[in-house]
Amino acid sequence: MLYGRTTEFDHIWRLLKAVRGGRAASLLVRGEYGAGRSVFLDHVADTVRGIRVLRTQGVESETDLPYAGVDHLFGTGLTGQGTPEAVAGRLADLAATGPVLCLVDDAHLLDPESTEALAFAARRHAAPYALVLALPDGARFPLDLPSLRLSRLGRENSLALLAAHTGRLTPFTRRKIAEAADGNPLALAEFATGVAADLHRSPLRLRPETMPVGATTLRRFAEGVTALPSPARLALLVAAASGSGELAPMAAAVERLGGDLGDLEPAERAGLVSLSGRRLGFTHPLLRPALYQDAPVAERIRVHGALAEGPGQDTAHHAATAAAVPCDRLAVRLELHARRSTDRGHGGAALEHAAQLSESPATRARLLTEAVAAAIDVGEFAHAMALSERALPLAAPATRLELTRLRQEILSAGAPDPRPPQWPAPWPDPWPDLWPGLWPDTAGTVTWRSEHAGMPPWSAAWLLSMGDDLAACRWAEGLVALCRTHGMPGREPKALHMLAAAQAAAGLHGQAAASATQALLLAGDAGRHDLTGSLTGLLAWLAAVRGAEQECRRLAARSIAYGTAEDDGRSSYDSGKNSGGGRAGNRGKVRSTGKVGHAVGGVPFRRPPGPARPSVGPWALALLDLGYGRPGLALRRFAEGPLPPLLAIRSTPDLAEAAVHAGRGAELGTRLVRFEAWATGTGRPGPAALVLRVRALLEQGREADSLYSQALNLHESAGQPFELARTRLLFGEWLRRRGRRARASRELGAALAGFEELGARPWADRARAELRAGDARRVSLAGELDLLTPQELRVVRLAAGGATNRDIAAQLVLSRRTVGNHLYKAFPKLGVTSRDQLRELSPALFPQDTGAT
């Protein structure tokens, strides 16, 4: 597959359309060195249909053999003989039986006779054939033909090309390569191949001038520089080593070396460099690394020393590169440079370099530990593990403790452990530092800080544990932006995971699905396989809300399987198909590579060893069954596996609803105590509303009315649309079963509207079924009213309107005893037992007064 060539292929297809229509056409395909002209012609030859394809290529060693090029084109013996007319006639004869496409690669290397013959055929246009000749920029062809230039690839196409062909490279390394290659396909291939082959190269310290290039490329570009005067070569080396391209630091360095920027004039005339504003750039991305790496080491050190003494932001790097021995002063300078950097990868490179220059083992261990954290942030987990191995023997106790924590995070992402574990490593919780003291073993009040000021940047998880879901959304959004601004692809999937969890808790289900899908894609791409199970579980939970039963079961099974020791990687997830969001294609798929592990985003991995990990899957399946009115099955789902600790608490209202409807509410026990302790400790209206809802479910008596009403008031202020609609549904069901059908209708109607807005289909169906049941009861009342005598009907209507027995007796001129006797006979006929229930029937008793309560 070719990337970024859609416009160029459209041009080719238009040319072929003309040939199919009986006309001849010719085209020159141009491009810089490494633009992919040969690959482009290969793809044209492989994809064209219904046209005969002839191919040839110019070979430098055959330029003295007349007609050698067209001999390869036709496969017949024209070498050393023939004429341009004979070649054109041969093409016309072939085209007489059908359209012909001639693809000529490296046309500038053809022998002169073949070049002239092809130019003659292009001029003649005697039959339906097309000539497509590829040659580099600047090469001449004897005929002025239409030209198509292969431009450089854009950033997205460069990254896609690297991802498709270099699965071992991390997203961070691919981005560094894409920046250095600047869209040149050959540079992309050279850099990627070299980086992948050098296992000891630090990905953090990759720079454009140190990108690896092959010997052939090095020789080709070095030859172009060798012919320049010595001052020009030295000035070019300064430009290559500077990295930034800013003129001021380069000018100062060249002057210190005894020259000036005017020395670059021969290089500019040769087309090696170009000036844009106050920046100097190389015209080809392979020039900089080839020139830098071809220079002697001593010359490079001299140049870096000159750059270190001038202006610019990179002087610390140049000074450190020029240093021959460790130096604490330079290490401190690099550390300060790392602190000021807004790019996490750049800062990590400075910390790693500073550790290399530090004279103190303890300081070296500390700097390496900070570099480990930076490597984790950018998703370089293997390199982070290698750095930690260097730091461990030197680390003081406090540093060793931090290294141990960082190594556990690296292992949780699926990186191999170079040290055999002494015991099985436990699975880490998806939300670290939330669990200590979060729920007591016995009844009691648990309190937490309610103020949010001064919290660390990863506190979105803490806010979730506090039940402040909307604040957690805001924090997580800021965290995602921080990861993107500071180049932290290793942290971004986890930040998106937090955002998706917060959005799901806040009832923003569509946004949560989009965030979780994106997080799953990035997690696979960045090697964050520790997030796969929880993200698929979250998507399963969102599918359960929507009532997508097959999707929910598939995702829940994937989530549960990922957390068990028996998982062999056979399950798969296609985010584009299942979630309704995300990108289609292979990048949206989690596929298996067999029992050795999974392949996520094209990167194979093993699930780290250890006990089964808690999964969101059982809760998702329970919610699905609960929505479809299967409480007994939902209750069994909760027993199928452990939930993550915070979710075990937050799922308690669902567990309580399933238990009550299954007739097992008395068995909830300490789960309710823990949930109420958590909700009380948060001090938030949302958890408090859920506590009231659970109490109302368990109460089911007269107090349930007040508990449901209080819960609704709290839900309104909490901003949780899904939980608000569910409370309305439960309240409406409770009201209808007690004959209070007018208010039940209002609550159920509001619940139905809320569920429909959220796309919660099974819950909307439940609300709709309850409303139909209430309507059916009103219809049946028409027949029941016929059972009443006229006097009973008059008494019942007055009583339903709020009149007392005394008032009714006075109005109908009856005794109070007679009024009571009429009501005593009417109640069984209407299926009610009290005046309150009678008032609920007022819409049927007073058809014109639908607002009666």
Side-chain angles (χ1 to χ4, degrees), residues 770-791:
E770 288 288 332
L771 281 169
R772 282 198 298 268
D775 291 340
R777 174 63 179 149
R778 290 192 186 93
V779 171
S780 68
L781 276 174
E784 293 171 359
L785 290 176
D786 292 339
L787 300 176
L788 301 178
T789 65
Q791 191 72 309

Side-chain angles (χ1 to χ4, degrees), residues 520 529 531-537 540 551-564 567-574 578 589-592 597-600 605 607 615-617 621:
L520 189 62
H529 311 304
L531 303 177
T532 303
S534 52
L535 282 167
T536 50
E551 179 184 347
C552 175
R553 293 186 187 284
R554 182 169 57 252
L555 291 172
R558 176 73 178 90
S559 177
I560 295 169
Y562 184 84
T564 61
D567 179 19
D568 62 1
R570 284 178 296 213
S571 46
S572 64
Y573 167 62
D574 182 338
N578 297 335
K589 296 179 182 177
V590 176
R591 295 196 180 276
S592 166
H598 308 295
V600 183
F605 72 98
R607 190 181 70 79
S615 167
V616 190
L621 294 172

Side-chain angles (χ1 to χ4, degrees), residues 66 481 678:
W678 170 77

